[in-house]
Amino acid sequence: MEQAIAGYHRDEEGHWVAELRCGHFQHVRHQPPFINRPWVTSAAGRQAMLGMMLNCKKCDRGEPADRLAPDHPSPEET
């Protein structure tokens, strides 16, 4: 099911994760030549992709929404 990107955070390894409007999280890595998402590498690029639709397999499977750990730093801190 297609869902829009509503925000971002970093995981514990420093990789960017998209927060989808459905409440699920999805990694958005830039790892050429296999995954080509250069927009992930800059704040302006990530901002420009807010609202972009991603296929959410968690919605397809009917999984509950994801949650950040209470002590997870905000995107501004990472």
Side-chain angles (χ1 to χ4, degrees):
M1 179 179 299
E2 295 285 308
Q3 297 288 347
I5 297 174
Y8 305 94
H9 67 269
R10 287 187 188 254
D11 69 8
E12 53 281 340
E13 295 178 5
H15 298 285
W16 285 104
V17 178
E19 300 169 0
L20 304 179
R21 286 216 177 101
C22 59
H24 292 124
F25 300 159
Q26 189 174 117
H27 279 93
V28 285
R29 295 181 177 102
H30 176 57
Q31 295 175 320
F34 304 106
I35 302 170
N36 193 20
R37 292 184 180 130
W39 55 268
V40 171
T41 62
S42 72
R46 291 186 300 278
Q47 181 70 26
M49 291 304 203
L50 289 174
M52 181 180 92
M53 303 299 277
L54 293 178
N55 185 32
C56 182
K57 294 182 189 261
K58 292 179 181 180
C59 276
D60 292 340
R61 295 188 298 256
E63 293 183 23
D66 294 312
R67 301 171 99 183
L68 286 173
D71 61 341
H72 193 281
S74 70
E76 297 80 27
E77 297 173 20
T78 58

